PDB file of all heavy atoms in Angstrom:
ATOM      1  N   ALA L  60      -9.001  -4.059  10.067  1.00  0.00           N
ATOM      2  CA  ALA L  60      -7.706  -3.834   9.676  1.00  0.00           C
ATOM      3  C   ALA L  60      -7.436  -4.684   8.411  1.00  0.00           C
ATOM      4  O   ALA L  60      -6.517  -4.360   7.581  1.00  0.00           O
ATOM      5  CB  ALA L  60      -6.657  -4.249  10.638  1.00  0.00           C
ATOM      6  N   ALA L  61      -8.269  -5.638   8.211  1.00  0.00           N
ATOM      7  CA  ALA L  61      -8.181  -6.525   6.871  1.00  0.00           C
ATOM      8  C   ALA L  61      -8.933  -5.801   5.774  1.00  0.00           C
ATOM      9  O   ALA L  61      -8.392  -5.563   4.702  1.00  0.00           O
ATOM     10  CB  ALA L  61      -8.874  -7.828   7.079  1.00  0.00           C
ATOM     11  N   THR L  62     -10.183  -5.421   6.048  1.00  0.00           N
ATOM     12  CA  THR L  62     -10.937  -4.527   5.079  1.00  0.00           C
ATOM     13  C   THR L  62     -12.037  -3.886   5.962  1.00  0.00           C
ATOM     14  O   THR L  62     -12.583  -4.533   6.862  1.00  0.00           O
ATOM     15  CB  THR L  62     -11.361  -5.393   3.905  1.00  0.00           C
ATOM     16  OG1 THR L  62     -11.737  -4.298   2.891  1.00  0.00           O
ATOM     17  CG2 THR L  62     -12.669  -6.158   4.128  1.00  0.00           C
ATOM     18  N   THR L 123      -3.851   3.357  -7.428  1.00  0.00           N
ATOM     19  CA  THR L 123      -3.459   2.138  -7.529  1.00  0.00           C
ATOM     20  C   THR L 123      -4.528   1.075  -7.143  1.00  0.00           C
ATOM     21  O   THR L 123      -5.573   1.537  -6.834  1.00  0.00           O
ATOM     22  CB  THR L 123      -2.244   1.944  -6.474  1.00  0.00           C
ATOM     23  OG1 THR L 123      -2.804   2.095  -5.160  1.00  0.00           O
ATOM     24  CG2 THR L 123      -1.097   2.930  -6.701  1.00  0.00           C
ATOM     25  N   SER L 124      -4.183  -0.274  -7.077  1.00  0.00           N
ATOM     26  CA  SER L 124      -5.219  -1.206  -6.612  1.00  0.00           C
ATOM     27  C   SER L 124      -5.152  -1.399  -5.154  1.00  0.00           C
ATOM     28  O   SER L 124      -5.997  -2.075  -4.566  1.00  0.00           O
ATOM     29  CB  SER L 124      -4.948  -2.481  -7.362  1.00  0.00           C
ATOM     30  OG  SER L 124      -3.732  -3.010  -6.888  1.00  0.00           O
ATOM     31  N   GLY L 125      -4.211  -0.703  -4.469  1.00  0.00           N
ATOM     32  CA  GLY L 125      -4.139  -0.859  -2.977  1.00  0.00           C
ATOM     33  C   GLY L 125      -2.711  -0.525  -2.525  1.00  0.00           C
ATOM     34  O   GLY L 125      -1.811  -0.103  -3.351  1.00  0.00           O
ATOM     35  N   ALA L 126      -2.440  -0.656  -1.286  1.00  0.00           N
ATOM     36  CA  ALA L 126      -1.240  -0.319  -0.708  1.00  0.00           C
ATOM     37  C   ALA L 126      -0.075  -1.102  -1.198  1.00  0.00           C
ATOM     38  O   ALA L 126       1.043  -0.717  -1.526  1.00  0.00           O
ATOM     39  CB  ALA L 126      -1.211  -0.366   0.855  1.00  0.00           C
ATOM     40  N   THR L 127      -0.333  -2.457  -1.423  1.00  0.00           N
ATOM     41  CA  THR L 127       0.693  -3.362  -2.038  1.00  0.00           C
ATOM     42  C   THR L 127       1.129  -2.852  -3.346  1.00  0.00           C
ATOM     43  O   THR L 127       2.396  -2.708  -3.660  1.00  0.00           O
ATOM     44  CB  THR L 127       0.110  -4.803  -2.141  1.00  0.00           C
ATOM     45  OG1 THR L 127      -0.394  -5.224  -0.876  1.00  0.00           O
ATOM     46  CG2 THR L 127       1.194  -5.761  -2.749  1.00  0.00           C
ATOM     47  N   GLU L 128       0.230  -2.493  -4.216  1.00  0.00           N
ATOM     48  CA  GLU L 128       0.693  -2.055  -5.541  1.00  0.00           C
ATOM     49  C   GLU L 128       1.361  -0.716  -5.408  1.00  0.00           C
ATOM     50  O   GLU L 128       2.287  -0.334  -6.142  1.00  0.00           O
ATOM     51  CB  GLU L 128      -0.535  -1.970  -6.529  1.00  0.00           C
ATOM     52  CG  GLU L 128      -0.055  -1.885  -7.950  1.00  0.00           C
ATOM     53  CD  GLU L 128      -1.049  -1.269  -8.953  1.00  0.00           C
ATOM     54  OE1 GLU L 128      -2.221  -1.197  -8.657  1.00  0.00           O
ATOM     55  OE2 GLU L 128      -0.539  -0.635  -9.992  1.00  0.00           O
ATOM     56  N   GLY L 129       0.859   0.102  -4.490  1.00  0.00           N
ATOM     57  CA  GLY L 129       1.478   1.480  -4.329  1.00  0.00           C
ATOM     58  C   GLY L 129       2.886   1.350  -3.956  1.00  0.00           C
ATOM     59  O   GLY L 129       3.790   1.950  -4.558  1.00  0.00           O
ATOM     60  N   LEU L 130       3.290   0.550  -2.982  1.00  0.00           N
ATOM     61  CA  LEU L 130       4.488   0.399  -2.423  1.00  0.00           C
ATOM     62  C   LEU L 130       5.519  -0.335  -3.597  1.00  0.00           C
ATOM     63  O   LEU L 130       6.575   0.152  -3.841  1.00  0.00           O
ATOM     64  CB  LEU L 130       4.566  -0.506  -1.217  1.00  0.00           C
ATOM     65  CG  LEU L 130       3.980   0.225  -0.014  1.00  0.00           C
ATOM     66  CD1 LEU L 130       3.551  -0.917   1.037  1.00  0.00           C
ATOM     67  CD2 LEU L 130       4.778   1.329   0.518  1.00  0.00           C
ATOM     68  N   ASP L 154       7.329  -5.412   9.775  1.00  0.00           N
ATOM     69  CA  ASP L 154       6.095  -4.863   9.492  1.00  0.00           C
ATOM     70  C   ASP L 154       5.399  -5.669   8.383  1.00  0.00           C
ATOM     71  O   ASP L 154       5.681  -6.871   8.178  1.00  0.00           O
ATOM     72  CB  ASP L 154       6.330  -3.446   8.794  1.00  0.00           C
ATOM     73  CG  ASP L 154       6.715  -2.355   9.989  1.00  0.00           C
ATOM     74  OD1 ASP L 154       6.925  -2.878  11.101  1.00  0.00           O
ATOM     75  OD2 ASP L 154       6.934  -1.270   9.732  1.00  0.00           O
ATOM     76  N   HIS L 155       4.361  -5.062   7.696  1.00  0.00           N
ATOM     77  CA  HIS L 155       3.649  -6.004   6.789  1.00  0.00           C
ATOM     78  C   HIS L 155       4.560  -6.320   5.662  1.00  0.00           C
ATOM     79  O   HIS L 155       5.336  -5.549   5.163  1.00  0.00           O
ATOM     80  CB  HIS L 155       2.362  -5.168   6.236  1.00  0.00           C
ATOM     81  CG  HIS L 155       1.422  -5.998   5.549  1.00  0.00           C
ATOM     82  ND1 HIS L 155       1.521  -6.542   4.277  1.00  0.00           N
ATOM     83  CD2 HIS L 155       0.251  -6.392   5.909  1.00  0.00           C
ATOM     84  CE1 HIS L 155       0.544  -7.177   3.907  1.00  0.00           C
ATOM     85  NE2 HIS L 155      -0.413  -7.144   4.968  1.00  0.00           N
ATOM     86  N   GLU L 156       4.392  -7.537   5.120  1.00  0.00           N
ATOM     87  CA  GLU L 156       5.220  -8.031   3.946  1.00  0.00           C
ATOM     88  C   GLU L 156       5.180  -7.013   2.736  1.00  0.00           C
ATOM     89  O   GLU L 156       6.085  -6.942   2.106  1.00  0.00           O
ATOM     90  CB  GLU L 156       4.629  -9.474   3.673  1.00  0.00           C
ATOM     91  CG  GLU L 156       5.530 -10.240   2.630  1.00  0.00           C
ATOM     92  CD  GLU L 156       6.958 -10.465   3.039  1.00  0.00           C
ATOM     93  OE1 GLU L 156       7.137 -10.618   4.295  1.00  0.00           O
ATOM     94  OE2 GLU L 156       7.802 -10.417   2.218  1.00  0.00           O
ATOM     95  N   ALA L 157       4.042  -6.393   2.451  1.00  0.00           N
ATOM     96  CA  ALA L 157       3.799  -5.447   1.365  1.00  0.00           C
ATOM     97  C   ALA L 157       4.834  -4.326   1.474  1.00  0.00           C
ATOM     98  O   ALA L 157       5.153  -3.720   0.474  1.00  0.00           O
ATOM     99  CB  ALA L 157       2.479  -4.873   1.429  1.00  0.00           C
ATOM    100  N   ASN L 158       5.287  -4.089   2.720  1.00  0.00           N
ATOM    101  CA  ASN L 158       6.201  -2.922   2.892  1.00  0.00           C
ATOM    102  C   ASN L 158       7.686  -3.540   3.098  1.00  0.00           C
ATOM    103  O   ASN L 158       8.492  -2.729   3.540  1.00  0.00           O
ATOM    104  CB  ASN L 158       5.865  -2.108   4.117  1.00  0.00           C
ATOM    105  CG  ASN L 158       6.482  -0.781   4.076  1.00  0.00           C
ATOM    106  OD1 ASN L 158       7.087  -0.365   3.112  1.00  0.00           O
ATOM    107  ND2 ASN L 158       6.370  -0.008   5.284  1.00  0.00           N
ATOM    108  N   THR L 209       5.959   2.454   8.560  1.00  0.00           N
ATOM    109  CA  THR L 209       4.625   2.287   8.714  1.00  0.00           C
ATOM    110  C   THR L 209       4.015   3.203   9.749  1.00  0.00           C
ATOM    111  O   THR L 209       4.617   3.453  10.752  1.00  0.00           O
ATOM    112  CB  THR L 209       4.427   0.682   9.218  1.00  0.00           C
ATOM    113  OG1 THR L 209       4.961  -0.075   8.181  1.00  0.00           O
ATOM    114  CG2 THR L 209       2.887   0.450   9.320  1.00  0.00           C
ATOM    115  N   HIS L 210       2.865   3.660   9.402  1.00  0.00           N
ATOM    116  CA  HIS L 210       2.188   4.729  10.266  1.00  0.00           C
ATOM    117  C   HIS L 210       1.616   4.023  11.460  1.00  0.00           C
ATOM    118  O   HIS L 210       1.935   4.404  12.641  1.00  0.00           O
ATOM    119  CB  HIS L 210       1.107   5.457   9.533  1.00  0.00           C
ATOM    120  CG  HIS L 210       0.742   6.626  10.174  1.00  0.00           C
ATOM    121  ND1 HIS L 210      -0.178   7.540   9.671  1.00  0.00           N
ATOM    122  CD2 HIS L 210       1.268   7.362  11.239  1.00  0.00           C
ATOM    123  CE1 HIS L 210      -0.310   8.665  10.485  1.00  0.00           C
ATOM    124  NE2 HIS L 210       0.582   8.522  11.411  1.00  0.00           N
ATOM    125  N   VAL L 211       0.746   2.948  11.323  1.00  0.00           N
ATOM    126  CA  VAL L 211       0.168   2.314  12.416  1.00  0.00           C
ATOM    127  C   VAL L 211       0.369   0.845  12.218  1.00  0.00           C
ATOM    128  O   VAL L 211       0.144   0.287  11.057  1.00  0.00           O
ATOM    129  CB  VAL L 211      -1.370   2.530  12.562  1.00  0.00           C
ATOM    130  CG1 VAL L 211      -1.945   1.541  13.603  1.00  0.00           C
ATOM    131  CG2 VAL L 211      -1.613   3.966  13.009  1.00  0.00           C
ATOM    132  N   HIS L 212       0.956   0.132  13.247  1.00  0.00           N
ATOM    133  CA  HIS L 212       1.520  -1.314  13.014  1.00  0.00           C
ATOM    134  C   HIS L 212       0.189  -2.262  12.887  1.00  0.00           C
ATOM    135  O   HIS L 212      -0.708  -2.136  13.667  1.00  0.00           O
ATOM    136  CB  HIS L 212       2.415  -1.798  14.031  1.00  0.00           C
ATOM    137  CG  HIS L 212       3.197  -2.912  13.588  1.00  0.00           C
ATOM    138  ND1 HIS L 212       2.694  -4.165  13.510  1.00  0.00           N
ATOM    139  CD2 HIS L 212       4.499  -3.010  13.187  1.00  0.00           C
ATOM    140  CE1 HIS L 212       3.654  -5.031  13.086  1.00  0.00           C
ATOM    141  NE2 HIS L 212       4.756  -4.332  12.865  1.00  0.00           N
ATOM    142  N   HIS L 213       0.152  -3.094  11.788  1.00  0.00           N
ATOM    143  CA  HIS L 213      -1.112  -3.873  11.567  1.00  0.00           C
ATOM    144  C   HIS L 213      -1.188  -5.023  12.643  1.00  0.00           C
ATOM    145  O   HIS L 213      -2.248  -5.654  12.699  1.00  0.00           O
ATOM    146  CB  HIS L 213      -1.122  -4.423  10.151  1.00  0.00           C
ATOM    147  CG  HIS L 213      -0.006  -5.386   9.850  1.00  0.00           C
ATOM    148  ND1 HIS L 213       1.306  -5.321   9.841  1.00  0.00           N
ATOM    149  CD2 HIS L 213      -0.233  -6.752   9.482  1.00  0.00           C
ATOM    150  CE1 HIS L 213       2.002  -6.459   9.708  1.00  0.00           C
ATOM    151  NE2 HIS L 213       0.945  -7.313   9.429  1.00  0.00           N
ATOM    152  N   VAL L 214      -0.097  -5.352  13.348  1.00  0.00           N
ATOM    153  CA  VAL L 214      -0.134  -6.352  14.376  1.00  0.00           C
ATOM    154  C   VAL L 214      -0.055  -5.820  15.703  1.00  0.00           C
ATOM    155  O   VAL L 214      -1.023  -6.045  16.554  1.00  0.00           O
ATOM    156  CB  VAL L 214       0.965  -7.467  14.145  1.00  0.00           C
ATOM    157  CG1 VAL L 214       0.954  -8.453  15.355  1.00  0.00           C
ATOM    158  CG2 VAL L 214       0.884  -8.104  12.851  1.00  0.00           C
ATOM    159  N   ASP L 237       3.801   3.879   4.808  1.00  0.00           N
ATOM    160  CA  ASP L 237       2.670   2.902   4.577  1.00  0.00           C
ATOM    161  C   ASP L 237       1.608   3.399   5.507  1.00  0.00           C
ATOM    162  O   ASP L 237       1.629   2.986   6.700  1.00  0.00           O
ATOM    163  CB  ASP L 237       3.178   1.510   4.893  1.00  0.00           C
ATOM    164  CG  ASP L 237       2.147   0.535   4.697  1.00  0.00           C
ATOM    165  OD1 ASP L 237       0.984   0.823   4.580  1.00  0.00           O
ATOM    166  OD2 ASP L 237       2.352  -0.803   4.793  1.00  0.00           O
ATOM    167  N   ALA L 238       0.484   3.936   4.909  1.00  0.00           N
ATOM    168  CA  ALA L 238      -0.475   4.548   5.821  1.00  0.00           C
ATOM    169  C   ALA L 238      -1.679   3.660   5.594  1.00  0.00           C
ATOM    170  O   ALA L 238      -2.893   4.065   5.885  1.00  0.00           O
ATOM    171  CB  ALA L 238      -0.796   5.944   5.372  1.00  0.00           C
ATOM    172  N   ALA L 239      -1.591   2.316   5.421  1.00  0.00           N
ATOM    173  CA  ALA L 239      -2.732   1.293   5.061  1.00  0.00           C
ATOM    174  C   ALA L 239      -3.603   1.256   6.385  1.00  0.00           C
ATOM    175  O   ALA L 239      -4.723   1.125   6.264  1.00  0.00           O
ATOM    176  CB  ALA L 239      -2.217   0.020   4.799  1.00  0.00           C
ATOM    177  N   GLN L 240      -3.006   1.403   7.691  1.00  0.00           N
ATOM    178  CA  GLN L 240      -3.764   1.147   8.845  1.00  0.00           C
ATOM    179  C   GLN L 240      -4.093   2.505   9.492  1.00  0.00           C
ATOM    180  O   GLN L 240      -4.696   2.533  10.635  1.00  0.00           O
ATOM    181  CB  GLN L 240      -3.086   0.287   9.759  1.00  0.00           C
ATOM    182  CG  GLN L 240      -2.936  -1.193   9.371  1.00  0.00           C
ATOM    183  CD  GLN L 240      -4.225  -1.896   8.964  1.00  0.00           C
ATOM    184  OE1 GLN L 240      -5.297  -1.457   9.469  1.00  0.00           O
ATOM    185  NE2 GLN L 240      -4.269  -3.057   8.394  1.00  0.00           N
ATOM    186  N   SER L 241      -3.736   3.611   8.944  1.00  0.00           N
ATOM    187  CA  SER L 241      -4.141   4.901   9.542  1.00  0.00           C
ATOM    188  C   SER L 241      -5.056   5.663   8.696  1.00  0.00           C
ATOM    189  O   SER L 241      -6.020   6.298   9.360  1.00  0.00           O
ATOM    190  CB  SER L 241      -2.866   5.722   9.742  1.00  0.00           C
ATOM    191  OG  SER L 241      -2.182   5.926   8.535  1.00  0.00           O
ATOM    192  N   VAL L 258       1.195   5.949   1.182  1.00  0.00           N
ATOM    193  CA  VAL L 258       0.484   4.941   0.375  1.00  0.00           C
ATOM    194  C   VAL L 258      -0.605   4.357   1.183  1.00  0.00           C
ATOM    195  O   VAL L 258      -0.447   4.027   2.433  1.00  0.00           O
ATOM    196  CB  VAL L 258       1.498   3.853  -0.007  1.00  0.00           C
ATOM    197  CG1 VAL L 258       0.914   2.687  -0.666  1.00  0.00           C
ATOM    198  CG2 VAL L 258       2.643   4.487  -0.914  1.00  0.00           C
ATOM    199  N   PHE L 259      -1.794   4.206   0.596  1.00  0.00           N
ATOM    200  CA  PHE L 259      -2.819   3.497   1.457  1.00  0.00           C
ATOM    201  C   PHE L 259      -3.813   2.772   0.384  1.00  0.00           C
ATOM    202  O   PHE L 259      -3.758   2.858  -0.846  1.00  0.00           O
ATOM    203  CB  PHE L 259      -3.678   4.617   2.105  1.00  0.00           C
ATOM    204  CG  PHE L 259      -4.508   5.549   1.377  1.00  0.00           C
ATOM    205  CD1 PHE L 259      -5.813   5.223   1.039  1.00  0.00           C
ATOM    206  CD2 PHE L 259      -4.064   6.775   0.845  1.00  0.00           C
ATOM    207  CE1 PHE L 259      -6.667   6.142   0.185  1.00  0.00           C
ATOM    208  CE2 PHE L 259      -4.776   7.508   0.058  1.00  0.00           C
ATOM    209  CZ  PHE L 259      -6.139   7.283  -0.159  1.00  0.00           C
ATOM    210  N   SER L 260      -4.648   1.900   1.122  1.00  0.00           N
ATOM    211  CA  SER L 260      -5.573   1.116   0.369  1.00  0.00           C
ATOM    212  C   SER L 260      -6.980   1.678   0.502  1.00  0.00           C
ATOM    213  O   SER L 260      -7.348   1.920   1.665  1.00  0.00           O
ATOM    214  CB  SER L 260      -5.557  -0.328   0.967  1.00  0.00           C
ATOM    215  OG  SER L 260      -4.404  -0.981   0.875  1.00  0.00           O
ATOM    216  N   GLY L 261      -7.622   1.873  -0.553  1.00  0.00           N
ATOM    217  CA  GLY L 261      -9.073   2.374  -0.406  1.00  0.00           C
ATOM    218  C   GLY L 261      -9.930   1.488   0.319  1.00  0.00           C
ATOM    219  O   GLY L 261     -10.778   2.030   1.032  1.00  0.00           O
ATOM    220  N   HIS L 262      -9.763   0.160   0.184  1.00  0.00           N
ATOM    221  CA  HIS L 262     -10.742  -0.752   0.689  1.00  0.00           C
ATOM    222  C   HIS L 262     -10.722  -0.697   2.211  1.00  0.00           C
ATOM    223  O   HIS L 262     -11.699  -1.055   2.938  1.00  0.00           O
ATOM    224  CB  HIS L 262     -10.604  -2.199   0.124  1.00  0.00           C
ATOM    225  CG  HIS L 262      -9.468  -2.829   0.537  1.00  0.00           C
ATOM    226  ND1 HIS L 262      -9.358  -3.646   1.819  1.00  0.00           N
ATOM    227  CD2 HIS L 262      -8.168  -2.861   0.130  1.00  0.00           C
ATOM    228  CE1 HIS L 262      -8.197  -4.212   1.790  1.00  0.00           C
ATOM    229  NE2 HIS L 262      -7.360  -3.697   0.917  1.00  0.00           N
ATOM    230  N   LYS L 263      -9.474  -0.357   2.676  1.00  0.00           N
ATOM    231  CA  LYS L 263      -9.444  -0.214   4.210  1.00  0.00           C
ATOM    232  C   LYS L 263      -9.982   1.122   4.759  1.00  0.00           C
ATOM    233  O   LYS L 263     -10.053   1.311   5.896  1.00  0.00           O
ATOM    234  CB  LYS L 263      -7.971  -0.409   4.723  1.00  0.00           C
ATOM    235  CG  LYS L 263      -7.411  -1.793   4.373  1.00  0.00           C
ATOM    236  CD  LYS L 263      -6.038  -1.920   5.005  1.00  0.00           C
ATOM    237  CE  LYS L 263      -5.176  -3.067   4.466  1.00  0.00           C
ATOM    238  NZ  LYS L 263      -5.543  -4.327   4.780  1.00  0.00           N
ATOM    239  N   GLY L 269      -9.736  -3.013  -4.685  1.00  0.00           N
ATOM    240  CA  GLY L 269      -9.069  -2.630  -5.945  1.00  0.00           C
ATOM    241  C   GLY L 269      -8.730  -1.107  -6.072  1.00  0.00           C
ATOM    242  O   GLY L 269      -8.623  -0.690  -7.240  1.00  0.00           O
ATOM    243  N   THR L 270      -8.845  -0.413  -4.967  1.00  0.00           N
ATOM    244  CA  THR L 270      -8.621   1.086  -5.016  1.00  0.00           C
ATOM    245  C   THR L 270      -7.602   1.472  -4.042  1.00  0.00           C
ATOM    246  O   THR L 270      -7.628   0.931  -2.929  1.00  0.00           O
ATOM    247  CB  THR L 270      -9.973   1.753  -4.674  1.00  0.00           C
ATOM    248  OG1 THR L 270     -11.072   1.071  -5.027  1.00  0.00           O
ATOM    249  CG2 THR L 270      -9.999   3.207  -5.185  1.00  0.00           C
ATOM    250  N   GLY L 271      -6.729   2.343  -4.308  1.00  0.00           N
ATOM    251  CA  GLY L 271      -5.777   2.919  -3.344  1.00  0.00           C
ATOM    252  C   GLY L 271      -4.996   4.020  -4.084  1.00  0.00           C
ATOM    253  O   GLY L 271      -5.342   4.459  -5.239  1.00  0.00           O
ATOM    254  N   ILE L 357      -6.269  -1.356  17.336  1.00  0.00           N
ATOM    255  CA  ILE L 357      -5.878  -2.820  16.902  1.00  0.00           C
ATOM    256  C   ILE L 357      -5.229  -3.457  18.251  1.00  0.00           C
ATOM    257  O   ILE L 357      -4.349  -2.904  18.792  1.00  0.00           O
ATOM    258  CB  ILE L 357      -4.791  -2.854  15.716  1.00  0.00           C
ATOM    259  CG1 ILE L 357      -5.396  -2.292  14.488  1.00  0.00           C
ATOM    260  CG2 ILE L 357      -4.209  -4.248  15.622  1.00  0.00           C
ATOM    261  CD1 ILE L 357      -4.338  -2.148  13.320  1.00  0.00           C
ATOM    262  N   ARG L 382      -9.431 -11.857  13.044  1.00  0.00           N
ATOM    263  CA  ARG L 382      -8.398 -12.475  12.116  1.00  0.00           C
ATOM    264  C   ARG L 382      -7.457 -13.290  13.110  1.00  0.00           C
ATOM    265  O   ARG L 382      -7.092 -12.827  14.174  1.00  0.00           O
ATOM    266  CB  ARG L 382      -7.615 -11.330  11.464  1.00  0.00           C
ATOM    267  CG  ARG L 382      -6.466 -11.834  10.789  1.00  0.00           C
ATOM    268  CD  ARG L 382      -6.507 -11.681   9.259  1.00  0.00           C
ATOM    269  NE  ARG L 382      -5.233 -12.116   8.667  1.00  0.00           N
ATOM    270  CZ  ARG L 382      -4.608 -11.375   7.924  1.00  0.00           C
ATOM    271  NH1 ARG L 382      -4.926 -10.155   7.536  1.00  0.00           N
ATOM    272  NH2 ARG L 382      -3.487 -11.866   7.252  1.00  0.00           N
ATOM    273  N   HIS L 386      -0.925 -12.794  10.063  1.00  0.00           N
ATOM    274  CA  HIS L 386      -1.136 -11.359   9.596  1.00  0.00           C
ATOM    275  C   HIS L 386      -0.222 -10.834   8.589  1.00  0.00           C
ATOM    276  O   HIS L 386       0.033  -9.643   8.552  1.00  0.00           O
ATOM    277  CB  HIS L 386      -1.211 -10.427  10.859  1.00  0.00           C
ATOM    278  CG  HIS L 386      -1.861 -10.977  12.074  1.00  0.00           C
ATOM    279  ND1 HIS L 386      -3.284 -11.239  12.027  1.00  0.00           N
ATOM    280  CD2 HIS L 386      -1.540 -11.576  13.223  1.00  0.00           C
ATOM    281  CE1 HIS L 386      -3.642 -11.813  13.167  1.00  0.00           C
ATOM    282  NE2 HIS L 386      -2.633 -12.053  13.912  1.00  0.00           N
ATOM    283  N   CYS L 387       0.294 -11.683   7.742  1.00  0.00           N
ATOM    284  CA  CYS L 387       1.188 -11.227   6.654  1.00  0.00           C
ATOM    285  C   CYS L 387       2.366 -10.286   7.217  1.00  0.00           C
ATOM    286  O   CYS L 387       2.893  -9.496   6.543  1.00  0.00           O
ATOM    287  CB  CYS L 387       0.480 -10.462   5.506  1.00  0.00           C
ATOM    288  SG  CYS L 387      -1.037 -11.039   5.037  1.00  0.00           S
ATOM    289  N   ARG L 399      -6.284 -11.205  16.069  1.00  0.00           N
ATOM    290  CA  ARG L 399      -6.216  -9.730  16.112  1.00  0.00           C
ATOM    291  C   ARG L 399      -7.616  -9.240  15.986  1.00  0.00           C
ATOM    292  O   ARG L 399      -8.481  -9.659  15.235  1.00  0.00           O
ATOM    293  CB  ARG L 399      -5.553  -9.191  14.687  1.00  0.00           C
ATOM    294  CG  ARG L 399      -5.559  -7.721  14.706  1.00  0.00           C
ATOM    295  CD  ARG L 399      -4.813  -7.314  13.408  1.00  0.00           C
ATOM    296  NE  ARG L 399      -5.606  -7.662  12.127  1.00  0.00           N
ATOM    297  CZ  ARG L 399      -5.158  -7.424  10.888  1.00  0.00           C
ATOM    298  NH1 ARG L 399      -4.027  -6.963  10.655  1.00  0.00           N
ATOM    299  NH2 ARG L 399      -5.964  -7.734   9.788  1.00  0.00           N
TER     300      ARG L 399
HETATM  301  N1  PLP N  10       0.432  -2.421   4.826  1.00  0.00           N
HETATM  302  C1  PLP N  10      -0.240  -2.624   5.862  1.00  0.00           C
HETATM  303  C2  PLP N  10       0.258  -2.018   7.132  1.00  0.00           C
HETATM  304  C3  PLP N  10      -1.320  -3.523   5.913  1.00  0.00           C
HETATM  305  O1  PLP N  10      -1.952  -3.779   7.031  1.00  0.00           O
HETATM  306  C4  PLP N  10      -1.727  -4.001   4.739  1.00  0.00           C
HETATM  307  C5  PLP N  10      -2.964  -4.957   4.587  1.00  0.00           C
HETATM  308  O2  PLP N  10      -3.260  -5.449   5.421  1.00  0.00           O
HETATM  309  C6  PLP N  10      -1.026  -3.683   3.468  1.00  0.00           C
HETATM  310  C7  PLP N  10      -0.027  -2.898   3.621  1.00  0.00           C
HETATM  311  C8  PLP N  10      -1.446  -4.218   2.097  1.00  0.00           C
HETATM  312  O3  PLP N  10      -2.631  -3.699   1.793  1.00  0.00           O
HETATM  313  P1  PLP N  10      -3.477  -4.303   0.469  1.00  0.00           P
HETATM  314  O4  PLP N  10      -3.601  -5.688   0.616  1.00  0.00           O
HETATM  315  O5  PLP N  10      -4.715  -3.473   0.536  1.00  0.00           O
HETATM  316  O6  PLP N  10      -2.624  -3.977  -0.684  1.00  0.00           O
END
Side-chain angles (χ1 to χ4, degrees):
T62 198
T123 63
S124 64
T127 302
E128 197 205 335
L130 295 162
D154 290 5
H155 197 285
E156 190 57 38
N158 199 13
T209 300
H210 199 183
V211 170
H212 200 283
H213 72 296
V214 177
D237 176 352
Q240 295 298 347
S241 55
V258 171
F259 68 93
S260 296
H262 71 95
K263 294 187 200 285
T270 325
I357 294 176
R382 171 112 178 237
H386 318 291
C387 313
R399 180 179 72 186

